[in-house]
Amino acid sequence: MTSSLLFNVTTIAYFAAMVIFILYLASKGSKVALVATVACWIGFAANTAAIGMRWYEAYALGFEQAPLSNLYESVVFFAWSILLIYLIFDVRYKHRAVGAFVIPFAFFGMIWAQWSLDATIQPLVPALQSNWLTYHVITCFIGYAGFAVACGVSTMYLIKIGKEERAAEGSPIGGILGMFPSAKVLDDLNYKAIMLGFPMLTLGIITGAAWANYAWGTYWSWDPKETWSLIVWFIYAAFLHARFTRGWVGRRAAWLSIIGFAATIFCYLGVNLVLSGLHSYGAA
Amino acid sequence: MSKQSNPVDRLWDFFCSLKLTITILILLATTSIIGTVIQQNLSPQEYMQKLGMSESTYNLFNSLQFFDMYHSYWFLSLLGLFAVNLICCSIKRFPHVWKTVREPVLVADDGLFKTFSNLDEVVADGSMESVREKVTVLLSKKFTAPVITEQDGKIHFFSQKAAYARFGVYVTHLSILIIFVGAMIGNVWGFKAFVNIVEGTFVDSIWGRSDSQTPIPLGFEVHCEDFEVTFYEDGRRPKDYVSKLVVKENGQEVLRKTIEVNDPLQYKGLTFYQASYGQSGDPVFRFRVQERATGETVEVVGRQGKHLPLPGGAALIPMGYASNYQSFGPAAQVNIDVGDHQHGNPFIVLQQFANFDEKRGGAYIVTLLEAEQDYYTGLSVTKDPGVWVVWIGCFLMVFGSLTAFFLSHRRIWVTLQPLERGIGVKVGGVAHRNQPAFSLFFDELIKDFNDTLVEK
Ligand code: HEM
């Protein structure tokens, strides 16, 4: 059993889950949703095992490093984090339609990693040889995953709210949209996902600062990656305060959540691929 | 904001407004992008030549302070406004929250009961006294011990849990201000500097980053006893580089540490980080030289430009070094002085090809045995007395936001009132977070009330 085989299983399972969730929206059969959820769990288990295997494989090559050392490894970990947060939400709230809008993030991440990223295990340069790297990456990615779930839910909210407002009072919304949770529930899920993601991102920024201070002597140097993580943080802080401000709840909050996730993805990938900086992760 | 209010009130309301908060946060987010797109702190030439900016663009951006935007007046003003907004908002709201927590409403009247999202009524059997007893026990067991108030023939119970969760938001906000203070302390009393130390030597002063003309005296010496760099098998990627540092004060060794990237040395508020390294000066060569006529062989050691005496009165003079000469590996350029300072033609000897020089046909056959190059270790040195304040702020931020998000202030009020038949028991409850979970708990509680207070 090698990690690459397990990663293939992961990708296939996420693909299956995604397709079955979409079938579920069309067919409305709760058994269908159950099958999709089982596929999620299988994928998650395979993803977990694959990361574990890769860790072991790196040690076997003599590199004492967590499997979070290059872009490939970070993308598969991101997919893992998204599933983690999604499954927590599934266990707690059981709104299965959400899967159709969240699992695609994990699937497209996996397929991108498998198809076009360099999967060879490489040793770390001295600047990255630190336990702080592990803490920093894990907290950031769990934060990002919370935002991915929030983005999926916000998209559903924006699709649903217009219909809900137009629908005559009391008459239920049919069709695929009828399978969505109500706008109120979606709004609440959005908030819950960000409530999970935001403190994790905060921890991620702080562990990053602590590491930078330990390794380079400055906890903050306004390098593009740091700055973008702060931009993301500002956006979600604005989101949290939008709750208390008339005129900012509902649609605008949903848009803030989507913009926040776009900024998150830019922070994660765009900075390395488009801008330059200290973080050399993406230059793969 | 009412129209009658005076300008001071209006200004106060402006600074307290959450719309302002959202506006500032979004402004901070959008303007911060500028500095990630335009490289910061380059020279005018670099902007215009390397980045191809026209002069008028350069001047415009320069006047907008876009080239050091995170320290520009407008960006700092935005941060200042952010802090003022935060302080005003807290001043305005905190007393109210303090009162909610410290002086809770112990007696819920009918108007208050109507506002509760969780509400139920039970008609209990027995006397006021016995019901009072049962309710007290029940609340204490299932929730927390209540505060009991008797008023107008009614008995009022109040219980609350995790009231301090209300302070989480304020701790979070305070932590931001603390981090600001820490950053300012670092800016005023701290500095960043660097120093290069050649292996086997020491320094007693360092050079500031912004003003690299005048050295900053350390008040102690930092010796670099040894520097080593190791490479991965591909031979190019550095695996690790370490410096053996010794701190000496008044000639006494006070501290010794081998530092590497991610493991610095700290002494007297200064931290020395392994930042870079490089080769310093000329290498020390070791040669084996054989005199062709006599067959006598000697080994000589020395630096570039030195005369290394050979048998027969001549001298070998190393002149240059290449670590990889035409991909034949390490090589030295040397010269032989046959006496009277008569220089011969320079020639090349290789370390990996020992017999190479035999073919030259000279009076001496020279072989390069080793060329050892001294390294210098590049250290960055920082002093930041504000960093602890920043960490305290960070800790409070994590602690505060976890409290704010994941703990819920839950309150339950109960009122007993004698009815014509039995005792009327009104129960109401609110939670400031996670209402669904609280509703479940509340329903359970009502079931318990029914089970214990109503005789079957
Ligand atoms: C100008 C700056 C800010 C002002 C004036 C401000 C003001 C406020 C106010 C008035 C509340 C509502 C408190 C309540 O009644 O429950 C609040 C909530 C909150 N603020 Fe801020 N805030 C600011 C910046 C920030 C920032 C940068 C953060 C980032 C950590 C933050 C984190 C929070 C959190 C976590 C909550 C609780 C949100 C919730 O209960 O959903 N605040 N803020």
Side-chain angles (χ1 to χ4, degrees), chain A residues 191 195 198 202 233-234 237 240-241 243-244, chain B residues 15-18 20-22 24-25 81-90 93 97 166 168-170 172-173 175-176 397 400-401 404-405 432-433:
Chain A
Y191 186 52
M195 252 175 24
F198 188 76
T202 308
W233 193 77
F234 283 144
L240 291 173
H241 292 86
R243 301 256 119 195
F244 300 99
Chain B
F15 282 130
C16 289
S17 114
L18 265 173
L20 180 67
T21 310
I22 296 182
I24 295 174
L25 285 168
L81 190 61
F82 181 75
V84 170
N85 187 205
L86 198 49
I87 293 168
C88 292
C89 231
S90 302
R93 286 165 188 250
V97 172
R166 299 260 175 187
V169 168
Y170 295 90
T172 309
H173 291 156
S175 72
I176 295 170
M397 178 177 289
S401 54
F405 287 142
H432 102 298
R433 285 255 174 243

Side-chain angles (χ1 to χ4, degrees), chain B residues 174-400:
Chain B
L174 181 69
S175 72
I176 295 170
L177 298 174
I178 292 175
I179 291 171
F180 277 9
V181 169
M184 284 192 276
I185 293 174
N187 269 315
V188 175
W189 286 290
F191 60 76
K192 292 186 177 55
F194 67 88
V195 66
N196 293 336
I197 315 176
V198 178
E199 277 181 288
T201 67
F202 71 93
V203 294
D204 56 11
S205 57
I206 54 184
W207 283 266
R209 283 260 167 78
S210 45
D211 170 23
S212 48
Q213 303 306 313
T214 39
I216 306 166
L218 285 173
F220 53 87
E221 294 170 356
V222 182
H223 294 246
C224 174
E225 285 196 340
D226 193 17
F227 174 83
E228 248 165 71
V229 54
T230 53
F231 294 90
Y232 283 115
E233 270 143 39
D234 66 6
R236 267 178 301 131
R237 281 208 259 185
K239 182 173 181 181
D240 215 351
Y241 33 108
V242 298
S243 308
K244 274 196 192 134
L245 298 186
V246 177
V247 177
K248 288 187 184 169
E249 212 166 351
N250 306 321
Q252 295 278 312
E253 177 178 325
V254 286
L255 185 63
R256 169 182 288 271
K257 179 164 183 183
T258 304
I259 67 162
E260 60 184 314
V261 181
N262 280 315
D263 191 12
L265 171 140
Q266 281 183 315
Y267 187 65
K268 291 210 165 159
L270 295 175
T271 312
F272 295 80
Y273 299 88
Q274 182 72 65
S276 61
Y277 64 91
Q279 294 177 339
S280 155
D282 309 320
V284 178
F285 296 100
R286 204 150 59 80
F287 296 100
R288 188 174 56 220
V289 185
Q290 187 180 22
E291 191 175 14
R292 205 184 278 270
T294 61
E296 188 184 348
T297 304
V298 289
E299 268 188 38
V300 289
V301 177
R303 285 179 193 275
Q304 192 168 315
K306 290 278 184 312
H307 284 59
L308 314 176
L310 299 179
L316 178 72
I317 311 166
M319 295 169 65
Y321 174 70
S323 59
N324 193 2
Y325 177 77
Q326 294 185 353
S327 58
F328 290 121
Q333 190 185 40
V334 296
N335 195 343
I336 290 186
D337 179 352
V338 291
D340 301 334
H341 295 282
Q342 292 248 318
H343 286 197
N345 289 328
F347 57 94
I348 303 284
V349 292
L350 300 171
Q351 185 176 337
Q352 286 169 10
F353 302 89
N355 303 327
F356 177 74
D357 194 47
E358 236 182 299
K359 306 191 178 73
R360 187 175 50 90
Y364 295 93
I365 303 164
V366 184
T367 307
L368 173 62
L369 294 176
E370 189 182 32
E372 208 181 64
Q373 183 119 42
D374 274 346
Y375 280 93
Y376 69 83
T377 179
L379 307 178
S380 72
V381 188
T382 63
K383 178 178 167 175
D384 188 348
V387 74
W388 288 108
V389 181
V390 171
W391 296 143
I392 290 170
C394 288
F395 174 78
L396 287 177
M397 178 177 289
V398 172
F399 172 77

Side-chain angles (χ1 to χ4, degrees), chain A residues 102-262:
Chain A
V102 173
I103 301 304
F105 291 125
F107 167 67
F108 288 115
M110 285 304 298
I111 201 80
W112 179 52
Q114 302 269 73
W115 273 353
S116 56
L117 294 180
D118 181 5
T120 50
I121 298 179
Q122 280 156 347
L124 287 172
V125 295
L128 296 179
Q129 292 163 7
S130 166
N131 279 338
W132 284 109
L133 172 70
T134 313
Y135 309 140
H136 175 56
V137 174
I138 288 177
T139 47
C140 283
F141 277 89
I142 294 194
Y144 294 175
F147 300 151
V149 172
C151 175
V153 171
S154 294
T155 313
M156 295 173 81
Y157 177 89
L158 289 174
I159 296 172
K160 177 110 182 181
I161 185 79
K163 198 65 172 250
E164 213 168 76
E165 281 170 356
R166 260 174 278 129
E169 289 263 337
S171 81
I173 304 171
I176 286 178
L177 289 191
M179 298 304 292
F180 286 19
S182 72
K184 190 162 162 278
V185 168
L186 289 169
D187 185 56
D188 190 52
L189 285 177
N190 189 14
Y191 186 52
K192 290 213 164 81
I194 289 173
M195 252 175 24
L196 208 81
F198 188 76
M200 290 316 275
L201 177 68
T202 308
L203 261 178
I205 294 176
I206 293 173
T207 50
W211 180 23
N213 187 63
Y214 183 60
W216 298 307
T218 34
Y219 52 85
W220 197 260
S221 51
W222 293 105
D223 110 291
K225 191 95 173 180
E226 282 172 354
T227 309
W228 269 96
S229 67
L230 193 65
I231 290 170
V232 171
W233 193 77
F234 283 144
I235 295 174
Y236 287 107
F239 173 92
L240 291 173
H241 292 86
R243 301 256 119 195
F244 300 99
T245 316
R246 227 179 304 135
W248 273 93
V249 285
R251 275 200 180 77
R252 280 200 202 177
W255 276 113
L256 267 182
S257 168
I258 292 175
I259 293 169
F261 187 61

